[in-house]
Amino acid sequence: MKKTNKNLMLCGMVFAVSLVVSNVVTAKTIQTGIPLFGSTITLPGAALCYAITFLMTDVIGEIWGRKAAQTVVNWGFVCQLLATGLILLTQYLPAANAEMQVSYDMLLGQNVIFVIGSMTAYFLSQSWDVWVFHKIRDNVLARTSNEKLRFLWNNASTMTSQIIDTVVFVGIAFGIGFGWLFDPAMLPALGAMMVGQYLIKLVLAACDTPFFYLLTRRMPASGAMQQAEA
């Protein structure tokens, strides 16, 4: 991918769309059928959409630098706030059809604790992803100048940031929101949900590596170093 404003805008748009859609579809719970600790792993519907956001920040960071990637993360937070506000506004406007209102509330109704968990997990995990990505990248390129090792900072940043995302969101939404954190009987279920969701996210993170290489293949090592210092 060439370093142009058009491509940067494209990556930013894919990031924003994936982020907003992940908030819309997260109400659907996906049953994976994979057994873990006596139950099966379930995922929020946002799992796939949200994984794309990490790929986009990594691509932006590799080509345009850390500052651009963090800017996209910051504006993504604003997009989340805007999307949540518009969804809530529409929810509380008078409905012409009562059945449609019930369906809307079920699919798009915003649970305050879930919104808090989502926003907190997003900002912490994405900021960590950008920071770790460039920390590892700068050190590796300074020592080896081998930009073919991009899988190191791509995977390390995404896989560790997904830990933060999973623990923070599940901990706030289910641990605090549902009270599982304060109920000894539900602690195993809380732990299983965190572990199970992270394992699936780990696989998704590994799967984005070929796409990362494909999208950043035209970035020479010398140019990458200059962007890292920008």
Side-chain angles (χ1 to χ4, degrees):
M1 177 177 284
K2 294 181 180 180
K3 184 188 172 186
T4 64
N5 289 334
K6 182 178 179 180
N7 284 337
L8 176 58
M9 184 179 295
L10 175 62
C11 289
M13 289 173 63
V14 173
F15 176 91
V17 169
S18 300
L19 179 62
V20 172
V21 170
S22 70
N23 287 330
V24 173
V25 302
T26 193
K28 177 175 179 177
T29 303
I30 301 172
Q31 180 57 262
T32 66
I34 301 174
L36 180 69
F37 303 147
S39 60
T40 55
I41 299 174
T42 58
L43 288 174
L48 179 58
C49 296
Y50 197 56
I52 296 174
T53 65
F54 289 99
L55 172 61
M56 287 298 100
T57 52
D58 285 356
V59 170
I60 292 171
E62 182 70 24
I63 299 177
W64 288 274
R66 177 178 176 178
K67 185 177 180 180
Q70 188 61 53
T71 298
V72 169
V73 170
N74 294 342
W75 280 108
F77 188 80
V78 175
C79 288
Q80 273 195 311
L81 290 175
L82 177 60
T84 300
L86 291 174
I87 290 172
L88 285 172
L89 175 62
T90 306
Q91 182 178 7
Y92 288 105
L93 289 174
N97 185 302
E99 292 183 0
M100 288 297 294
Q101 180 66 38
V102 172
S103 298
Y104 186 97
D105 292 342
M106 183 179 297
L107 292 175
L108 297 175
Q110 301 291 297
N111 182 311
V112 175
I113 195 66
F114 272 61
V115 171
I116 293 174
S118 176
M119 295 287 194
T120 305
Y122 163 79
F123 194 75
L124 292 178
S125 63
Q126 292 283 359
S127 296
W128 171 268
D129 179 70
V130 173
W131 182 81
V132 171
F133 179 94
H134 289 277
K135 190 71 174 178
I136 297 175
R137 175 176 175 270
D138 293 352
N139 287 334
V140 172
L141 289 180
R143 295 181 180 182
T144 68
S145 298
N146 186 0
E147 63 98 24
K148 291 183 179 180
L149 297 175
R150 295 196 299 275
F151 71 91
L152 290 176
W153 49 87
N154 168 233
N155 285 319
S157 61
T158 301
M159 290 177 179
T160 54
S161 60
Q162 290 285 26
I163 295 176
I164 297 173
D165 180 70
T166 303
V167 172
V168 172
F169 176 73
V170 174
I172 293 177
F174 295 90
I176 297 176
F178 286 3
W180 291 5
L181 191 61
F182 314 106
D183 183 355
M186 294 304 298
L187 286 177
L190 185 66
M193 180 176 287
M194 289 180 179
V195 173
Q197 289 195 12
Y198 176 68
L199 290 177
I200 299 297
K201 291 178 180 179
L202 193 67
V203 173
L204 291 175
C207 289
D208 83 2
T209 303
F211 298 99
F212 177 71
Y213 271 77
L214 178 66
L215 293 172
T216 62
R217 69 189 185 282
R218 293 188 179 184
M219 188 67 178
S222 58
M225 283 298 293
Q226 291 174 4
Q227 291 307 311
E229 295 169 357

